[in-house]
Amino acid sequence: MTSRRFFLLSGVAIAAAAAFRGFRPEAIAAETFEVTKTDAEWKAILTDEQYRILRHEDTERPFTSALNTEKRKGIFHCAGCDLPVYSSEAKYDSGTGWPSFWEALPKAVGTREDTSLFITRTECHCSRCGGHLGHIFDDGPQPTGMRHCINGMAMTFSPASAA
């Protein structure tokens, strides 16, 4: 098979996997969350992109979120329920195009196995509302060695007040 054919077929496979990725109700149905809303209620409080990411496990394009380059001290919150999920103290530039952190705030993030792209990854979500945040990989910096690769649209940022 030529390189060009392989490249084209690989692209088709990736596109097909992404099309089938979407919302996995069976994964969320097994968990209960403090904040629950109907689909209509989520649509009413989130932007279209936030809704697709948080409620249907979509992914924003890399390098499109202003939070990727956010350098101020402060706290990142879940855009769905406002739970503080990450501190700027754990943020670093991974070069991937998404906000990256080496750890979440205590008890802020839940995880589950994600096999949607024909590989096994660790999906992470808000522990209070179940909103999809991103994925966790084991190629991050010390002290944890983890990289929480998070969709910027899944979060809001509150800068620390200058006291």
PDB file of all heavy atoms in Angstrom, residues 59-93:
ATOM      1  N   THR A  59     -14.214  17.682  21.598  1.00  0.00           N
ATOM      2  CA  THR A  59     -12.914  18.286  21.874  1.00  0.00           C
ATOM      3  C   THR A  59     -12.773  19.550  21.032  1.00  0.00           C
ATOM      4  O   THR A  59     -13.071  19.529  19.844  1.00  0.00           O
ATOM      5  CB  THR A  59     -11.766  17.313  21.517  1.00  0.00           C
ATOM      6  OG1 THR A  59     -11.930  16.124  22.286  1.00  0.00           O
ATOM      7  CG2 THR A  59     -10.410  17.919  21.799  1.00  0.00           C
ATOM      8  N   GLU A  60     -12.337  20.625  21.673  1.00  0.00           N
ATOM      9  CA  GLU A  60     -12.108  21.860  20.924  1.00  0.00           C
ATOM     10  C   GLU A  60     -10.841  21.718  20.082  1.00  0.00           C
ATOM     11  O   GLU A  60      -9.977  20.889  20.384  1.00  0.00           O
ATOM     12  CB  GLU A  60     -11.981  23.052  21.876  1.00  0.00           C
ATOM     13  CG  GLU A  60     -10.725  22.995  22.741  1.00  0.00           C
ATOM     14  CD  GLU A  60     -10.774  23.934  23.938  1.00  0.00           C
ATOM     15  OE1 GLU A  60     -11.837  24.470  24.255  1.00  0.00           O
ATOM     16  OE2 GLU A  60      -9.725  24.102  24.560  1.00  0.00           O
ATOM     17  N   ARG A  61     -10.740  22.511  19.046  1.00  0.00           N
ATOM     18  CA  ARG A  61      -9.533  22.510  18.229  1.00  0.00           C
ATOM     19  C   ARG A  61      -8.357  23.033  19.064  1.00  0.00           C
ATOM     20  O   ARG A  61      -8.530  23.944  19.884  1.00  0.00           O
ATOM     21  CB  ARG A  61      -9.730  23.369  16.983  1.00  0.00           C
ATOM     22  CG  ARG A  61     -10.689  22.759  15.971  1.00  0.00           C
ATOM     23  CD  ARG A  61     -10.746  23.530  14.650  1.00  0.00           C
ATOM     24  NE  ARG A  61     -10.368  24.916  14.712  1.00  0.00           N
ATOM     25  CZ  ARG A  61     -11.207  25.949  14.901  1.00  0.00           C
ATOM     26  NH1 ARG A  61     -12.497  25.728  15.054  1.00  0.00           N
ATOM     27  NH2 ARG A  61     -10.765  27.183  14.917  1.00  0.00           N
ATOM     28  N   PRO A  62      -7.166  22.478  18.878  1.00  0.00           N
ATOM     29  CA  PRO A  62      -6.012  22.956  19.640  1.00  0.00           C
ATOM     30  C   PRO A  62      -5.698  24.419  19.333  1.00  0.00           C
ATOM     31  O   PRO A  62      -5.983  24.902  18.236  1.00  0.00           O
ATOM     32  CB  PRO A  62      -4.876  22.037  19.201  1.00  0.00           C
ATOM     33  CG  PRO A  62      -5.294  21.466  17.905  1.00  0.00           C
ATOM     34  CD  PRO A  62      -6.804  21.430  17.920  1.00  0.00           C
ATOM     35  N   PHE A  63      -5.147  25.096  20.318  1.00  0.00           N
ATOM     36  CA  PHE A  63      -4.702  26.494  20.221  1.00  0.00           C
ATOM     37  C   PHE A  63      -5.853  27.474  19.974  1.00  0.00           C
ATOM     38  O   PHE A  63      -5.627  28.568  19.476  1.00  0.00           O
ATOM     39  CB  PHE A  63      -3.613  26.660  19.143  1.00  0.00           C
ATOM     40  CG  PHE A  63      -2.404  25.807  19.394  1.00  0.00           C
ATOM     41  CD1 PHE A  63      -2.206  24.631  18.684  1.00  0.00           C
ATOM     42  CD2 PHE A  63      -1.469  26.157  20.356  1.00  0.00           C
ATOM     43  CE1 PHE A  63      -1.094  23.823  18.926  1.00  0.00           C
ATOM     44  CE2 PHE A  63      -0.355  25.364  20.605  1.00  0.00           C
ATOM     45  CZ  PHE A  63      -0.178  24.199  19.885  1.00  0.00           C
ATOM     46  N   THR A  64      -7.094  27.099  20.311  1.00  0.00           N
ATOM     47  CA  THR A  64      -8.227  28.004  20.103  1.00  0.00           C
ATOM     48  C   THR A  64      -8.743  28.609  21.396  1.00  0.00           C
ATOM     49  O   THR A  64      -9.500  29.572  21.353  1.00  0.00           O
ATOM     50  CB  THR A  64      -9.395  27.295  19.392  1.00  0.00           C
ATOM     51  OG1 THR A  64      -9.824  26.177  20.176  1.00  0.00           O
ATOM     52  CG2 THR A  64      -8.985  26.826  17.998  1.00  0.00           C
ATOM     53  N   SER A  65      -8.365  28.081  22.543  1.00  0.00           N
ATOM     54  CA  SER A  65      -8.871  28.580  23.818  1.00  0.00           C
ATOM     55  C   SER A  65      -7.937  29.627  24.416  1.00  0.00           C
ATOM     56  O   SER A  65      -6.730  29.412  24.519  1.00  0.00           O
ATOM     57  CB  SER A  65      -9.028  27.441  24.825  1.00  0.00           C
ATOM     58  OG  SER A  65      -9.296  27.968  26.111  1.00  0.00           O
ATOM     59  N   ALA A  66      -8.518  30.738  24.846  1.00  0.00           N
ATOM     60  CA  ALA A  66      -7.734  31.776  25.526  1.00  0.00           C
ATOM     61  C   ALA A  66      -7.131  31.246  26.826  1.00  0.00           C
ATOM     62  O   ALA A  66      -6.104  31.747  27.288  1.00  0.00           O
ATOM     63  CB  ALA A  66      -8.607  32.993  25.814  1.00  0.00           C
ATOM     64  N   LEU A  67      -7.743  30.234  27.416  1.00  0.00           N
ATOM     65  CA  LEU A  67      -7.213  29.689  28.675  1.00  0.00           C
ATOM     66  C   LEU A  67      -5.911  28.921  28.470  1.00  0.00           C
ATOM     67  O   LEU A  67      -5.176  28.685  29.421  1.00  0.00           O
ATOM     68  CB  LEU A  67      -8.255  28.804  29.363  1.00  0.00           C
ATOM     69  CG  LEU A  67      -9.501  29.518  29.865  1.00  0.00           C
ATOM     70  CD1 LEU A  67     -10.404  28.558  30.635  1.00  0.00           C
ATOM     71  CD2 LEU A  67      -9.145  30.720  30.729  1.00  0.00           C
ATOM     72  N   ASN A  68      -5.610  28.557  27.224  1.00  0.00           N
ATOM     73  CA  ASN A  68      -4.338  27.882  26.963  1.00  0.00           C
ATOM     74  C   ASN A  68      -3.165  28.794  27.297  1.00  0.00           C
ATOM     75  O   ASN A  68      -2.142  28.337  27.788  1.00  0.00           O
ATOM     76  CB  ASN A  68      -4.272  27.427  25.504  1.00  0.00           C
ATOM     77  CG  ASN A  68      -3.075  26.560  25.233  1.00  0.00           C
ATOM     78  OD1 ASN A  68      -2.762  25.669  26.008  1.00  0.00           O
ATOM     79  ND2 ASN A  68      -2.400  26.809  24.123  1.00  0.00           N
ATOM     80  N   THR A  69      -3.312  30.080  27.057  1.00  0.00           N
ATOM     81  CA  THR A  69      -2.216  31.027  27.320  1.00  0.00           C
ATOM     82  C   THR A  69      -2.448  31.850  28.585  1.00  0.00           C
ATOM     83  O   THR A  69      -1.711  32.802  28.831  1.00  0.00           O
ATOM     84  CB  THR A  69      -2.026  31.966  26.114  1.00  0.00           C
ATOM     85  OG1 THR A  69      -3.265  32.621  25.840  1.00  0.00           O
ATOM     86  CG2 THR A  69      -1.565  31.194  24.878  1.00  0.00           C
ATOM     87  N   GLU A  70      -3.430  31.499  29.380  1.00  0.00           N
ATOM     88  CA  GLU A  70      -3.705  32.213  30.641  1.00  0.00           C
ATOM     89  C   GLU A  70      -2.534  32.005  31.597  1.00  0.00           C
ATOM     90  O   GLU A  70      -2.183  30.874  31.911  1.00  0.00           O
ATOM     91  CB  GLU A  70      -5.001  31.697  31.271  1.00  0.00           C
ATOM     92  CG  GLU A  70      -5.345  32.346  32.595  1.00  0.00           C
ATOM     93  CD  GLU A  70      -5.537  33.851  32.494  1.00  0.00           C
ATOM     94  OE1 GLU A  70      -6.472  34.295  31.816  1.00  0.00           O
ATOM     95  OE2 GLU A  70      -4.716  34.571  33.117  1.00  0.00           O
ATOM     96  N   LYS A  71      -1.924  33.120  32.043  1.00  0.00           N
ATOM     97  CA  LYS A  71      -0.725  33.040  32.900  1.00  0.00           C
ATOM     98  C   LYS A  71      -0.942  33.593  34.311  1.00  0.00           C
ATOM     99  O   LYS A  71      -0.073  33.477  35.163  1.00  0.00           O
ATOM    100  CB  LYS A  71       0.433  33.811  32.264  1.00  0.00           C
ATOM    101  CG  LYS A  71       0.759  33.384  30.852  1.00  0.00           C
ATOM    102  CD  LYS A  71       1.770  32.297  30.833  1.00  0.00           C
ATOM    103  CE  LYS A  71       2.285  32.071  29.428  1.00  0.00           C
ATOM    104  NZ  LYS A  71       2.048  30.751  28.935  1.00  0.00           N
ATOM    105  N   ARG A  72      -2.100  34.212  34.546  1.00  0.00           N
ATOM    106  CA  ARG A  72      -2.327  34.812  35.866  1.00  0.00           C
ATOM    107  C   ARG A  72      -2.555  33.738  36.928  1.00  0.00           C
ATOM    108  O   ARG A  72      -2.929  32.608  36.625  1.00  0.00           O
ATOM    109  CB  ARG A  72      -3.550  35.731  35.825  1.00  0.00           C
ATOM    110  CG  ARG A  72      -3.380  36.928  34.907  1.00  0.00           C
ATOM    111  CD  ARG A  72      -4.660  37.720  34.783  1.00  0.00           C
ATOM    112  NE  ARG A  72      -5.654  36.924  34.048  1.00  0.00           N
ATOM    113  CZ  ARG A  72      -6.918  37.276  33.877  1.00  0.00           C
ATOM    114  NH1 ARG A  72      -7.374  38.405  34.410  1.00  0.00           N
ATOM    115  NH2 ARG A  72      -7.741  36.516  33.182  1.00  0.00           N
ATOM    116  N   LYS A  73      -2.324  34.125  38.174  1.00  0.00           N
ATOM    117  CA  LYS A  73      -2.622  33.255  39.310  1.00  0.00           C
ATOM    118  C   LYS A  73      -4.130  33.209  39.479  1.00  0.00           C
ATOM    119  O   LYS A  73      -4.813  34.229  39.319  1.00  0.00           O
ATOM    120  CB  LYS A  73      -1.985  33.795  40.600  1.00  0.00           C
ATOM    121  CG  LYS A  73      -0.484  33.926  40.522  1.00  0.00           C
ATOM    122  CD  LYS A  73       0.170  32.646  40.904  1.00  0.00           C
ATOM    123  CE  LYS A  73       1.681  32.845  40.987  1.00  0.00           C
ATOM    124  NZ  LYS A  73       2.386  31.710  40.478  1.00  0.00           N
ATOM    125  N   GLY A  74      -4.652  32.046  39.807  1.00  0.00           N
ATOM    126  CA  GLY A  74      -6.078  31.930  40.029  1.00  0.00           C
ATOM    127  C   GLY A  74      -6.550  30.494  39.971  1.00  0.00           C
ATOM    128  O   GLY A  74      -5.751  29.555  40.025  1.00  0.00           O
ATOM    129  N   ILE A  75      -7.856  30.353  39.823  1.00  0.00           N
ATOM    130  CA  ILE A  75      -8.487  29.040  39.852  1.00  0.00           C
ATOM    131  C   ILE A  75      -9.328  28.855  38.586  1.00  0.00           C
ATOM    132  O   ILE A  75     -10.066  29.745  38.173  1.00  0.00           O
ATOM    133  CB  ILE A  75      -9.383  28.875  41.101  1.00  0.00           C
ATOM    134  CG1 ILE A  75      -8.555  29.033  42.386  1.00  0.00           C
ATOM    135  CG2 ILE A  75     -10.131  27.539  41.093  1.00  0.00           C
ATOM    136  CD1 ILE A  75      -7.530  27.932  42.631  1.00  0.00           C
ATOM    137  N   PHE A  76      -9.224  27.669  38.005  1.00  0.00           N
ATOM    138  CA  PHE A  76     -10.025  27.277  36.859  1.00  0.00           C
ATOM    139  C   PHE A  76     -11.230  26.491  37.389  1.00  0.00           C
ATOM    140  O   PHE A  76     -11.074  25.592  38.215  1.00  0.00           O
ATOM    141  CB  PHE A  76      -9.203  26.416  35.901  1.00  0.00           C
ATOM    142  CG  PHE A  76      -8.052  27.169  35.288  1.00  0.00           C
ATOM    143  CD1 PHE A  76      -6.847  27.300  35.974  1.00  0.00           C
ATOM    144  CD2 PHE A  76      -8.175  27.746  34.041  1.00  0.00           C
ATOM    145  CE1 PHE A  76      -5.786  27.999  35.418  1.00  0.00           C
ATOM    146  CE2 PHE A  76      -7.109  28.446  33.477  1.00  0.00           C
ATOM    147  CZ  PHE A  76      -5.922  28.579  34.163  1.00  0.00           C
ATOM    148  N   HIS A  77     -12.417  26.842  36.911  1.00  0.00           N
ATOM    149  CA  HIS A  77     -13.670  26.233  37.383  1.00  0.00           C
ATOM    150  C   HIS A  77     -14.339  25.465  36.253  1.00  0.00           C
ATOM    151  O   HIS A  77     -14.191  25.823  35.075  1.00  0.00           O
ATOM    152  CB  HIS A  77     -14.648  27.327  37.836  1.00  0.00           C
ATOM    153  CG  HIS A  77     -14.173  28.105  39.007  1.00  0.00           C
ATOM    154  ND1 HIS A  77     -14.728  27.980  40.253  1.00  0.00           N
ATOM    155  CD2 HIS A  77     -13.189  29.029  39.130  1.00  0.00           C
ATOM    156  CE1 HIS A  77     -14.115  28.795  41.096  1.00  0.00           C
ATOM    157  NE2 HIS A  77     -13.174  29.438  40.436  1.00  0.00           N
ATOM    158  N   CYS A  78     -15.136  24.473  36.591  1.00  0.00           N
ATOM    159  CA  CYS A  78     -15.957  23.778  35.608  1.00  0.00           C
ATOM    160  C   CYS A  78     -16.962  24.784  35.042  1.00  0.00           C
ATOM    161  O   CYS A  78     -17.652  25.471  35.808  1.00  0.00           O
ATOM    162  CB  CYS A  78     -16.692  22.604  36.264  1.00  0.00           C
ATOM    163  SG  CYS A  78     -17.934  21.846  35.198  1.00  0.00           S
ATOM    164  N   ALA A  79     -17.060  24.872  33.725  1.00  0.00           N
ATOM    165  CA  ALA A  79     -17.997  25.802  33.096  1.00  0.00           C
ATOM    166  C   ALA A  79     -19.444  25.358  33.272  1.00  0.00           C
ATOM    167  O   ALA A  79     -20.355  26.148  33.102  1.00  0.00           O
ATOM    168  CB  ALA A  79     -17.674  25.955  31.613  1.00  0.00           C
ATOM    169  N   GLY A  80     -19.661  24.117  33.655  1.00  0.00           N
ATOM    170  CA  GLY A  80     -21.012  23.617  33.843  1.00  0.00           C
ATOM    171  C   GLY A  80     -21.603  23.913  35.204  1.00  0.00           C
ATOM    172  O   GLY A  80     -22.774  24.277  35.308  1.00  0.00           O
ATOM    173  N   CYS A  81     -20.795  23.769  36.250  1.00  0.00           N
ATOM    174  CA  CYS A  81     -21.338  23.916  37.613  1.00  0.00           C
ATOM    175  C   CYS A  81     -20.505  24.816  38.512  1.00  0.00           C
ATOM    176  O   CYS A  81     -20.812  24.963  39.690  1.00  0.00           O
ATOM    177  CB  CYS A  81     -21.505  22.545  38.262  1.00  0.00           C
ATOM    178  SG  CYS A  81     -19.940  21.740  38.674  1.00  0.00           S
ATOM    179  N   ASP A  82     -19.427  25.390  38.002  1.00  0.00           N
ATOM    180  CA  ASP A  82     -18.565  26.324  38.722  1.00  0.00           C
ATOM    181  C   ASP A  82     -17.710  25.683  39.818  1.00  0.00           C
ATOM    182  O   ASP A  82     -17.149  26.376  40.655  1.00  0.00           O
ATOM    183  CB  ASP A  82     -19.390  27.487  39.292  1.00  0.00           C
ATOM    184  CG  ASP A  82     -18.542  28.724  39.552  1.00  0.00           C
ATOM    185  OD1 ASP A  82     -17.610  28.977  38.761  1.00  0.00           O
ATOM    186  OD2 ASP A  82     -18.794  29.421  40.548  1.00  0.00           O
ATOM    187  N   LEU A  83     -17.578  24.370  39.828  1.00  0.00           N
ATOM    188  CA  LEU A  83     -16.701  23.717  40.800  1.00  0.00           C
ATOM    189  C   LEU A  83     -15.253  24.074  40.491  1.00  0.00           C
ATOM    190  O   LEU A  83     -14.816  23.958  39.347  1.00  0.00           O
ATOM    191  CB  LEU A  83     -16.863  22.193  40.741  1.00  0.00           C
ATOM    192  CG  LEU A  83     -15.964  21.395  41.689  1.00  0.00           C
ATOM    193  CD1 LEU A  83     -16.439  21.575  43.138  1.00  0.00           C
ATOM    194  CD2 LEU A  83     -15.956  19.919  41.313  1.00  0.00           C
ATOM    195  N   PRO A  84     -14.467  24.522  41.485  1.00  0.00           N
ATOM    196  CA  PRO A  84     -13.035  24.736  41.251  1.00  0.00           C
ATOM    197  C   PRO A  84     -12.373  23.386  40.924  1.00  0.00           C
ATOM    198  O   PRO A  84     -12.514  22.423  41.686  1.00  0.00           O
ATOM    199  CB  PRO A  84     -12.523  25.279  42.587  1.00  0.00           C
ATOM    200  CG  PRO A  84     -13.747  25.825  43.266  1.00  0.00           C
ATOM    201  CD  PRO A  84     -14.874  24.937  42.829  1.00  0.00           C
ATOM    202  N   VAL A  85     -11.714  23.307  39.756  1.00  0.00           N
ATOM    203  CA  VAL A  85     -11.138  22.030  39.335  1.00  0.00           C
ATOM    204  C   VAL A  85      -9.615  22.035  39.223  1.00  0.00           C
ATOM    205  O   VAL A  85      -8.981  21.007  39.461  1.00  0.00           O
ATOM    206  CB  VAL A  85     -11.779  21.520  38.019  1.00  0.00           C
ATOM    207  CG1 VAL A  85     -13.191  21.021  38.261  1.00  0.00           C
ATOM    208  CG2 VAL A  85     -11.777  22.564  36.926  1.00  0.00           C
ATOM    209  N   TYR A  86      -9.014  23.178  38.854  1.00  0.00           N
ATOM    210  CA  TYR A  86      -7.563  23.255  38.703  1.00  0.00           C
ATOM    211  C   TYR A  86      -7.048  24.586  39.219  1.00  0.00           C
ATOM    212  O   TYR A  86      -7.703  25.611  39.076  1.00  0.00           O
ATOM    213  CB  TYR A  86      -7.142  23.104  37.233  1.00  0.00           C
ATOM    214  CG  TYR A  86      -7.368  21.708  36.698  1.00  0.00           C
ATOM    215  CD1 TYR A  86      -8.511  21.399  35.976  1.00  0.00           C
ATOM    216  CD2 TYR A  86      -6.438  20.708  36.930  1.00  0.00           C
ATOM    217  CE1 TYR A  86      -8.736  20.113  35.503  1.00  0.00           C
ATOM    218  CE2 TYR A  86      -6.655  19.420  36.457  1.00  0.00           C
ATOM    219  CZ  TYR A  86      -7.802  19.134  35.756  1.00  0.00           C
ATOM    220  OH  TYR A  86      -8.014  17.857  35.294  1.00  0.00           O
ATOM    221  N   SER A  87      -5.841  24.565  39.773  1.00  0.00           N
ATOM    222  CA  SER A  87      -5.165  25.782  40.213  1.00  0.00           C
ATOM    223  C   SER A  87      -4.129  26.187  39.172  1.00  0.00           C
ATOM    224  O   SER A  87      -3.500  25.324  38.538  1.00  0.00           O
ATOM    225  CB  SER A  87      -4.460  25.526  41.547  1.00  0.00           C
ATOM    226  OG  SER A  87      -3.583  26.592  41.844  1.00  0.00           O
ATOM    227  N   SER A  88      -3.928  27.482  39.036  1.00  0.00           N
ATOM    228  CA  SER A  88      -2.887  27.967  38.121  1.00  0.00           C
ATOM    229  C   SER A  88      -1.510  27.488  38.577  1.00  0.00           C
ATOM    230  O   SER A  88      -0.582  27.426  37.770  1.00  0.00           O
ATOM    231  CB  SER A  88      -2.915  29.493  38.042  1.00  0.00           C
ATOM    232  OG  SER A  88      -2.648  30.059  39.308  1.00  0.00           O
ATOM    233  N   GLU A  89      -1.384  27.145  39.841  1.00  0.00           N
ATOM    234  CA  GLU A  89      -0.101  26.654  40.373  1.00  0.00           C
ATOM    235  C   GLU A  89       0.319  25.332  39.726  1.00  0.00           C
ATOM    236  O   GLU A  89       1.496  24.999  39.706  1.00  0.00           O
ATOM    237  CB  GLU A  89      -0.187  26.480  41.900  1.00  0.00           C
ATOM    238  CG  GLU A  89      -0.463  27.761  42.659  1.00  0.00           C
ATOM    239  CD  GLU A  89       0.662  28.784  42.547  1.00  0.00           C
ATOM    240  OE1 GLU A  89       1.842  28.387  42.560  1.00  0.00           O
ATOM    241  OE2 GLU A  89       0.354  29.986  42.450  1.00  0.00           O
ATOM    242  N   ALA A  90      -0.654  24.563  39.222  1.00  0.00           N
ATOM    243  CA  ALA A  90      -0.359  23.274  38.598  1.00  0.00           C
ATOM    244  C   ALA A  90      -0.393  23.346  37.073  1.00  0.00           C
ATOM    245  O   ALA A  90      -0.222  22.338  36.404  1.00  0.00           O
ATOM    246  CB  ALA A  90      -1.349  22.218  39.085  1.00  0.00           C
ATOM    247  N   LYS A  91      -0.581  24.530  36.512  1.00  0.00           N
ATOM    248  CA  LYS A  91      -0.676  24.695  35.060  1.00  0.00           C
ATOM    249  C   LYS A  91       0.723  24.822  34.461  1.00  0.00           C
ATOM    250  O   LYS A  91       1.612  25.415  35.048  1.00  0.00           O
ATOM    251  CB  LYS A  91      -1.503  25.941  34.720  1.00  0.00           C
ATOM    252  CG  LYS A  91      -1.812  26.097  33.237  1.00  0.00           C
ATOM    253  CD  LYS A  91      -2.770  27.264  33.015  1.00  0.00           C
ATOM    254  CE  LYS A  91      -3.240  27.347  31.592  1.00  0.00           C
ATOM    255  NZ  LYS A  91      -2.247  27.845  30.668  1.00  0.00           N
ATOM    256  N   TYR A  92       0.884  24.265  33.274  1.00  0.00           N
ATOM    257  CA  TYR A  92       2.155  24.407  32.556  1.00  0.00           C
ATOM    258  C   TYR A  92       1.882  24.367  31.051  1.00  0.00           C
ATOM    259  O   TYR A  92       0.797  23.966  30.621  1.00  0.00           O
ATOM    260  CB  TYR A  92       3.152  23.312  32.964  1.00  0.00           C
ATOM    261  CG  TYR A  92       2.799  21.930  32.472  1.00  0.00           C
ATOM    262  CD1 TYR A  92       3.430  21.399  31.355  1.00  0.00           C
ATOM    263  CD2 TYR A  92       1.835  21.147  33.110  1.00  0.00           C
ATOM    264  CE1 TYR A  92       3.112  20.140  30.883  1.00  0.00           C
ATOM    265  CE2 TYR A  92       1.515  19.895  32.649  1.00  0.00           C
ATOM    266  CZ  TYR A  92       2.155  19.393  31.538  1.00  0.00           C
ATOM    267  OH  TYR A  92       1.834  18.138  31.062  1.00  0.00           O
ATOM    268  N   ASP A  93       2.838  24.779  30.259  1.00  0.00           N
ATOM    269  CA  ASP A  93       2.693  24.783  28.807  1.00  0.00           C
ATOM    270  C   ASP A  93       3.213  23.463  28.260  1.00  0.00           C
ATOM    271  O   ASP A  93       4.413  23.241  28.176  1.00  0.00           O
ATOM    272  CB  ASP A  93       3.460  25.959  28.199  1.00  0.00           C
ATOM    273  CG  ASP A  93       3.273  26.056  26.688  1.00  0.00           C
ATOM    274  OD1 ASP A  93       2.512  25.242  26.117  1.00  0.00           O
ATOM    275  OD2 ASP A  93       3.894  26.946  26.084  1.00  0.00           O
TER     276      ASP A  93
END
